[in-house]
């Protein structure tokens, strides 16, 4: 491992005798060290695979750990290099090394337009991981369900769907929401469109700060909003169904399905059916210059 402490030079510490050639030598040395560290990181992959095999296997995706890593990155970042660039580099490193460990593709719902979704996939997963656009959310969910370890991306604010795509996640064996991207939200983010990340159900490593539910009711009532707000939740999506209305609801992980079911039973919404369809880390937002 290399040990090169970070130092910040002020104007009085700058060496006035340095030439551009000298500085380029220093830059080349740093680049060589960075490359060597990436190579060293790659050698750990075989050890990770072996360790997982000893522990009975498991999904290569660790959305809770990735969220924590990105938050730590933001909190320690300093200097002239834009945060967008640093985040993109780390996202590509994480996603690509995961791909080396267990190849996967990202299936994305492009029904609202391909450009923003493509930018999000490339920012978070780079160009090594294959990008598979689909005309609707159903195609994404079906593809993730049929693959060994693929991921899916569906816009949180997908108004073009017009139907309750989240209800397709209600079956026990169906894919589930495992993350909300970007992990670090901020104004002007180059891939700032909020998206849900889906995978086959995770038996471990799922982040459960926020839990999502597919809720079927017979009719809408405005008291739903007040009830959810009291529990710290909200309605993220709603769509008519042949038997009434389907809602996509998010709540803090501390609330639980039993309380949600009990609160809905107090409201004049008719019979209700509540099914967990995923979870993700708590949203982490920063403001400019924070």
């Amino acid at each position: 491992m290399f040990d090169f402490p970070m130092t910040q030079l002020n104007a009085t510490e700058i060496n006035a005798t340095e030439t551009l050639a000298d500085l380029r030598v220093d830059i080349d040395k740093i680049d060589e060290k960075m490359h060597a560290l990436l190579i060293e990181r790659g050698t750990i992959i075989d050890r990770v695979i072996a360790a997982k095999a000893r522990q009975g296997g498991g999904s290569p995706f660790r959305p809770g750990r990735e969220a924590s890593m990105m938050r730590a990155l933001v909190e320690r970042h300093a200097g002239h290099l834009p945060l967008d660039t640093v985040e993109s580099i780390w996202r590509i490193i994480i996603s690509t090394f995961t791909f080396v460990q267990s190849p996967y593709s990202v299936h994305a719902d492009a029904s609202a337009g391909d450009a923003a979704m493509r930018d999000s996939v490339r920012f978070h997963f780079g160009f090594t991981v294959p990008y598979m656009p689909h005309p609707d959310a159903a195609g994404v969910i079906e593809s993730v369900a049929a693959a060994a370890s693929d991921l899916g991306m569906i816009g949180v604010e997908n108004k073009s769907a017009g139907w309750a795509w989240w209800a397709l996640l209600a079956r026990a064996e169906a894919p589930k929401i495992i993350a909300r991207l970007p992990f670090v939200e901020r104004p002007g983010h180059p891939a700032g469109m909020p998206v849900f990340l889906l995978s086959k159900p995770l038996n471990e490593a799922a982040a459960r700060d926020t839990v999502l539910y597919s809720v079927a009711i017979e009719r809408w009532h405005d008291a739903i909003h007040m009830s959810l707000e009291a529990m710290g939740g909200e309605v993220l999506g709603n769509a008519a169904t042949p038997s009434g209305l389907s809602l996509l609801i998010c709540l803090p992980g501390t609330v639980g399905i039993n309380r949600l079911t009990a609160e809905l039973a107090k409201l004049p919404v008719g019979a209700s059916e509540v099914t967990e369809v995923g979870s993700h880390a708590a949203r982490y937002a920063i403001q400019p210059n924070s």
Side-chain angles (χ1 to χ4, degrees):
M1 291 288 290
F2 293 101
D3 183 15
F4 42 101
M6 299 293 291
T7 59
Q8 291 186 337
L9 300 178
N10 58 39
T12 62
E13 295 173 316
I14 294 176
N15 186 344
T17 66
E18 285 182 320
T19 66
L20 285 176
D22 295 329
L23 295 173
R24 286 167 182 154
V25 169
D26 288 345
I27 289 172
D28 288 343
K29 289 179 180 178
I30 293 172
D31 287 347
E32 183 179 350
K33 291 176 181 179
M34 291 170 60
H35 190 194
L37 287 172
L38 287 174
I39 293 172
E40 182 178 351
R41 195 184 197 280
T43 65
I44 297 177
I45 294 299
D46 290 338
R47 292 156 57 192
V48 170
I49 294 173
K52 284 188 176 180
R54 291 193 299 270
Q55 297 173 19
S59 171
F61 304 112
R62 294 291 187 271
R65 171 170 163 76
E66 289 189 23
S68 296
M69 290 172 67
M70 300 317 297
R71 293 177 188 181
L73 177 76
V74 170
E75 290 168 358
R76 70 173 179 255
H77 182 61
H80 297 300
L81 191 63
L83 176 58
D84 294 341
T85 303
V86 177
E87 182 185 9
S88 177
I89 291 170
W90 252 258
R91 286 301 314 151
I92 291 173
I93 289 173
I94 294 168
S95 299
T96 302
F97 276 112
T98 301
F99 179 83
V100 171
Q101 179 188 157
S102 179
Y104 64 97
S105 297
V106 177
H107 301 267
D109 174 15
S111 60
D114 181 63
M117 184 61 77
R118 184 179 63 249
D119 286 350
S120 183
V121 172
R122 292 311 185 197
F123 182 90
H124 291 102
F125 297 96
F127 286 88
T128 300
V129 178
Y131 165 50
M132 312 293 289
H134 293 266
D136 55 33
V140 172
I141 296 169
E142 291 170 3
S143 297
V144 173
S149 58
D150 286 1
L151 297 176
M153 285 178 58
I154 298 175
V156 173
E157 301 169 355
N158 187 354
K159 307 300 184 184
S160 63
W163 59 285
W165 59 266
W166 52 87
L168 297 179
L169 310 180
R171 292 178 292 107
E173 69 278 10
K176 298 292 184 283
I177 295 167
I178 64 168
R180 175 174 171 139
L181 302 178
F183 286 120
V184 180
E185 303 175 12
R186 57 187 179 275
H189 193 294
M193 180 179 71
V195 298
F196 286 131
L197 193 65
L198 283 66
S199 80
K200 285 187 173 179
L202 297 180
N203 295 323
E204 75 290 322
R208 295 187 59 80
D209 299 333
T210 298
V211 179
L212 299 119
Y213 300 93
S214 175
V215 178
I217 57 177
E218 295 179 5
R219 69 189 71 87
W220 173 261
H221 194 280
D222 288 342
I224 292 175
H225 281 310
M226 291 183 290
S227 180
L228 291 177
E229 287 177 1
M231 293 184 284
E234 63 178 315
V235 176
L236 298 179
N238 66 85
T241 66
S243 58
L245 192 66
S246 179
L247 307 176
L248 176 61
I249 288 175
C250 72
L251 283 169
T254 54
V255 172
I257 192 170
N258 291 334
R259 182 180 174 190
L260 173 58
T261 301
E263 293 299 323
L264 288 172
K266 300 175 183 177
L267 304 178
V269 297
S272 64
E273 181 178 352
V274 181
T275 308
E276 182 178 322
V277 294
S279 61
H280 60 76
R283 294 171 62 184
Y284 184 78
I286 61 174
Q287 298 300 320
N289 302 319
S290 63

